[in-house]
Amino acid sequence: MKTSPVVNTMLLKHHLKALRLPTVSAECEKVAKQCASAGDDHLTYLLRVCELELIERERKAGVRRLKAARFPTAKTVAEFDFTAQPTISPGRVLELLKGEYISRKENILLIGTAGTGKTHLATALGIEACGQGKRVRFARVTELVTQLLEAREERQLTRTRSQLAKLDLLILDELGYVPASKVGAELLFDVISTLYERTSLIVTTNLPFEQWTEVLDNERLTGATLDRLTHRCHIIETGGESYRLRDARRRRAGSVSLKATSAATLDSEQGNEGKGHPGV
Ligand code: ADP
Ligand code: MG
């Protein structure tokens, strides 16, 4: 006996649920109509619904990767004003955006004073890597050191270390703002050693190399850390004035000249040109 189309659809939806194909389930009827009116054969129909399932899966995986990476803000290279950093070549950054440094397990070191775009560039590179299917994690150095110290106390250090080793890219932001404790520095070095030549690192720092000993509080450790970090490393130096300060000053100047312009417009509209402002 032939089953009715309604029963068939119900069965199909049941099977698709069991097979975990939610997009095929949601789209199958609509795509069936489109394929019927286009005269597409069964295999083309199957291809269309499978493509939709894959696209949706990839989109969801991308969202999950971004969430897992824990970026503090969303930044892109398109938003980066290269004229404010004339020593950084846009071509070099665009080349890094392709992500081949991750496949080659190379590191990136962003060095420069506060507010010069180190975190911005590190985040933009990390978000791009997520889009390329890479497992990324963004962490401030102090945050990571705290996490490692807690893991050590709870005897979970091996677990935390192996979770970090599964990453394709670890971004360590702000090395050097707060000196690490002796144990903290050792744990950080331990992570850097574990990841060496397995996981790429992006490190942002305001410290010139000579001052790293102050933070890691140990010359031998500093030497060994620098050795691992800078072996196969792209060094980008940011410089000049803080972009935040520059931007704030520009905005202030902009609002002053805007006020001046609107005052002048008001003046000319009122036929007051050249009469000056009483009370100004
Ligand atoms: P850093 O990490 O070097 O202290 P940030 O990356 O946090 O600096 O930059 C501070 C703020 O200024 C951020 O909002 C960032 O997006 C912005 N910024 C810095 N440099 C630039 C730039 N060249 N173009 C656009 N925005 C920038
Ligand atoms: Mg920063």
Side-chain angles (χ1 to χ4, degrees):
M1 201 179 71
K2 234 178 138 188
T3 47
S4 78
V6 178
V7 174
N8 276 346
T9 308
M10 271 172 62
L11 272 174
L12 175 66
K13 298 257 172 174
H14 173 270
H15 296 338
L16 289 171
K17 194 170 177 200
L19 289 166
R20 296 202 168 89
L21 295 167
T23 308
V24 176
S25 179
E27 301 294 324
C28 61
E29 288 150 297
K30 192 174 91 195
V31 181
K33 280 190 194 128
Q34 287 167 353
C35 285
S37 61
D40 291 333
D41 60 13
H42 295 99
L43 285 179
T44 308
Y45 169 68
L46 195 56
L47 175 67
R48 294 275 174 273
V49 288
C50 287
E51 276 172 351
L52 290 177
E53 185 70 52
L54 277 178
I55 291 168
E56 184 57 12
R57 267 187 201 188
E58 188 42 49
R59 190 192 66 78
K60 280 191 184 149
V63 171
R64 268 200 304 275
R65 279 194 300 272
L66 274 179
K67 217 171 151 202
R70 304 190 218 163
F71 293 108
T73 47
K75 297 281 176 188
T76 63
V77 166
E79 294 160 348
F80 194 78
D81 174 9
F82 281 94
T83 59
Q85 288 297 331
T87 55
I88 303 179
S89 130
R92 190 163 173 230
V93 175
L94 293 180
E95 184 59 36
L96 289 174
L97 272 187
K98 289 187 198 161
E100 283 158 20
Y101 71 98
I102 299 176
S103 322
R104 294 194 294 259
K105 320 285 180 205
E106 292 166 355
N107 302 327
I108 300 177
L109 208 55
L110 287 150
I111 308 182
T113 44
T116 50
K118 302 181 297 295
T119 303
H120 185 132
L121 283 177
T123 308
L125 286 163
I127 289 177
E128 190 68 19
C130 278
Q132 291 160 356
K134 307 284 195 237
R135 284 155 303 181
V136 181
R137 165 89 200 273
F138 180 105
R140 285 213 184 90
V141 171
T142 46
E143 187 192 318
L144 184 77
V145 167
T146 308
Q147 193 193 337
L148 291 168
L149 287 167
E150 280 170 8
R152 182 169 167 270
E153 233 158 71
E154 292 159 17
R155 300 188 175 276
Q156 296 289 323
L157 204 51
T158 313
R159 191 161 159 255
T160 307
R161 210 191 280 126
S162 66
Q163 276 170 352
L164 290 169
K166 281 192 200 132
L167 295 170
D168 297 302
L169 172 66
L170 174 64
I171 302 174
L172 292 177
D173 195 32
E174 295 185 357
L175 183 98
Y177 277 99
V178 188
S181 64
K182 189 170 176 290
V183 184
E186 276 167 11
L187 289 173
L188 186 65
F189 173 70
D190 177 50
V191 165
I192 292 173
S193 296
T194 309
L195 303 192
Y196 178 59
E197 292 191 328
R198 284 161 77 175
T199 293
S200 288
L201 281 167
I202 298 183
V203 176
T204 80
T205 181
N206 58 335
L207 286 184
F209 291 146
E210 314 83 76
Q211 285 174 28
W212 281 41
T213 326
E214 288 166 29
V215 174
L216 296 178
D217 196 26
N218 179 328
E219 217 162 293
R220 184 190 52 80
L221 206 61
T222 305
T225 306
L226 273 174
D227 195 47
R228 280 162 179 71
L229 274 182
T230 54
H231 177 219
R232 309 216 224 165
C233 182
H234 304 264
I235 297 178
I236 298 179
E237 281 184 65
T238 59
E241 184 184 22
S242 157
Y243 195 84
R244 271 187 285 251
L245 287 180
R246 216 180 101 141
D247 205 36
R249 194 176 305 136
R250 216 171 21 208
R251 274 169 210 265
R252 260 199 310 272
S255 74
V256 168
S257 72
L258 207 69
K259 274 185 203 147
T261 316
S262 47
T265 315
L266 206 65
D267 266 357
S268 67
E269 274 170 2
Q270 292 170 346
N272 288 341
E273 255 168 312
K275 287 184 192 160
H277 285 278
V280 173

